[in-house]
Each structure stands twice: as C-alpha cells, then as structure tokens.
C-alpha cells in the first residue's frame, strides 16, 4: 500500500521531531487499548488506568500504539474522589475522554 504525500509528511514529523513536554503535558505509558482510538494511560504518580485518552485524527493512520508505548498527553483534571480501580472493559464503555494524546514517543525519543 502506497502512502499519500500527506501521510508521508506526517510520518516524517512523528519520527523526526524531538518533542518536549509543555507545562500542561506529561509522559504516560499506555496500559490498554480501549478501542475507537481510546487508550488507558498510566504515569508514575499512580493515575488509575480508568482514564481514557484519545488519539487525534492526524496521527491515527500514521503510528501504531501498543501497550507499553510512551506518549505525551494532557493530564485529566484532578478528581476530588478518585474512582476505585476499574477494568479496561468498563472504562471503554464510559462516555467521554479525560485527555488527548499530543505526541507518540518513538524508541529514539525515550
């Protein structure tokens, strides 16, 4: 399958840029694929896996995200009463998302 010029540009952008997190972003590890371009992410601060993050359209057909990959994403707002541990199936059935994945980190970025 031949990639379009636009897809090749996006792929080059993903592989060649050296992303640095802004003050509103954090580095997360992907723990589960929830379907419909939604992912469960975890960080070192103990964010529960129930939080759903989505991948923007411009990255969906360019990069493959697997569990264990690292991404930059905007964190969800702090919850007053954090939910108990929820499995990926019930998290996937929830409506809405908590954040957006802004950049997928490749092995050369980590």
């Amino acid at each position: 399958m031949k990639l379009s010029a636009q897809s090749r540009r996006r792929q080059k952008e993903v592989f060649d840029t050296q992303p640095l997190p802004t003050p509103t972003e954090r580095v997360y590890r992907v723990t589960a694929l929830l379907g419909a371009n939604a992912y469960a992410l975890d960080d070192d601060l103990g964010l529960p896996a129930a939080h759903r993050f989505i991948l923007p359209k411009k990255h969906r057909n360019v990069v493959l995200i697997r569990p264990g990959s690292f991404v930059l994403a905007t964190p969800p707002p702090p919850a007053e009463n954090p939910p108990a541990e929820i499995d990926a199936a019930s998290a996937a059935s929830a409506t809405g998302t908590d954040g957006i994945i802004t950049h997928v980190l490749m092995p050369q970025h980590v």
Side-chain angles (χ1 to χ4, degrees):
M1 184 171 128
K2 194 170 187 178
L3 292 175
S4 68
Q6 185 177 16
S7 292
R8 283 193 304 271
R9 265 194 312 274
R10 286 190 185 138
Q11 197 172 42
K12 183 173 174 35
E13 173 189 325
V14 168
F15 288 119
D16 292 345
T17 59
Q18 295 294 327
L20 294 175
T22 63
T24 60
E25 296 175 332
R26 277 200 234 152
V27 176
Y28 293 96
R29 186 175 54 85
V30 177
T31 56
L33 309 174
L34 304 175
N37 295 305
Y39 300 87
L41 304 182
D42 186 23
D43 65 356
D44 291 337
L45 302 176
L47 179 74
H51 288 285
R52 289 170 39 107
F53 290 78
I54 59 168
L55 185 65
K57 277 188 174 182
K58 71 177 189 175
H59 294 306
R60 290 182 185 169
N61 294 327
V62 176
V63 67
L64 176 66
I65 301 177
R66 295 181 178 166
S69 299
F70 289 93
V71 296
L72 288 178
T74 55
E80 293 179 13
N81 296 323
E85 190 65 30
I86 300 174
D87 63 340
S90 60
S93 65
T95 60
T97 59
D98 294 316
I100 297 174
I101 296 172
T102 56
H103 198 88
V104 179
L105 300 177
M106 297 293 135
Q108 62 266 24
H109 298 143
V110 178

